[in-house]
Amino acid sequence: MPYPYGIDVAFQVSLNSSHVSNLDFLINRIGSLGFSYINDPQYFNKTLTVDTGFDGNMQIMQAAGKPVGCYFFSYAWNTASAIYEATQVCDALDALGVTLEMPVFFDWERTGTPYGSYEKVTAAGVTVTSSLVQDMTLAFMQTVNSRGRTAGWYANVDAITSFYTAVWTADRLAEYYYFWLAQWGATM
């Protein structure tokens, strides 16, 4: 039996019926709080801007009977900012009336570009440690779960080796959360 085939899409992608026929599921980026106020109290006054393609992508997939989830590309720098992001995501989903069949994923990563979570947060003067990233991930997921939604966390191979250790996997996932591992250009 072949593995299910799904994709994640960001703000610039709008699906159509020809895309949907080839997909088993979709993980859709919900939106952004931006990164202009990292490590600044003004961040907590921002409202999530829902990506322009989000609602349409969700509707077309759900109309085809395909499961959908979403992810949030985080610029959190402490647990309070991660909780705020999770609250904003859940508020946006509630306002849109979106039902998800798959989790809301927390995505905090080093991208090697000026726009990665790690790059923006460290540029704002925050010292990033594995413990910090793990605490933010748990805070986001616990907040999503407390709002009656299913939470998960996303990581690429770099994030696993840099921020999420064996201790994280063994000791800190006492509650069950979904995990999404991305590895580009390799056979899994």
Side-chain angles (χ1 to χ4, degrees):
M1 177 175 172
Y3 292 104
Y5 178 74
I7 59 172
D8 65 274
V9 296
F11 63 95
Q12 71 273 23
V13 177
S14 293
L15 299 176
N16 61 46
S17 57
S18 67
H19 297 121
V20 172
S21 64
N22 296 320
L23 298 175
D24 296 313
F25 67 90
L26 172 70
I27 307 296
N28 201 10
R29 190 182 98 149
I30 185 166
S32 175
L33 286 168
F35 48 76
S36 55
Y37 293 106
I38 293 174
N39 205 16
D40 182 326
Q42 289 297 315
Y43 192 76
F44 298 99
N45 296 324
K46 295 181 65 95
T47 301
L48 186 135
T49 302
V50 175
D51 286 349
T52 54
F54 180 80
D55 198 35
N57 289 345
M58 300 302 270
Q59 289 179 19
I60 196 167
M61 288 294 288
Q62 289 178 321
K66 310 278 179 106
V68 293
C70 70
Y71 74 97
F72 182 77
F73 191 91
S74 172
Y75 290 107
W77 65 91
N78 59 25
T79 56
S81 58
I83 290 167
Y84 184 74
E85 290 176 345
T87 300
Q88 287 291 304
V89 168
C90 290
D91 287 351
L93 290 168
D94 292 347
L96 291 168
V98 172
T99 301
L100 300 173
E101 298 81 20
M102 297 178 74
V104 175
F105 289 97
F106 178 75
D107 177 6
W108 199 99
E109 62 184 282
R110 175 173 36 213
T111 64
T113 72
Y115 302 104
S117 312
Y118 175 85
E119 289 83 0
K120 286 292 183 188
V121 170
T122 56
V126 176
T127 300
V128 175
T129 64
S130 292
S131 293
L132 173 63
V133 175
Q134 294 168 23
D135 289 345
M136 293 186 306
T137 303
L138 277 173
F140 183 96
M141 293 188 303
Q142 289 168 342
T143 303
V144 168
N145 280 1
S146 76
R147 294 284 299 266
R149 295 191 177 269
T150 302
W153 55 291
Y154 162 95
N156 56 31
V157 173
D158 173 69
I160 291 293
T161 58
S162 300
F163 306 121
Y164 301 105
T165 64
V167 172
W168 161 260
T169 304
D171 296 339
R172 301 205 63 198
L173 285 180
E175 296 180 62
Y176 182 73
Y177 293 104
Y178 287 87
F179 173 59
W180 166 20
L181 173 65
Q183 182 170 346
W184 308 280
T187 302
M188 297 293 284

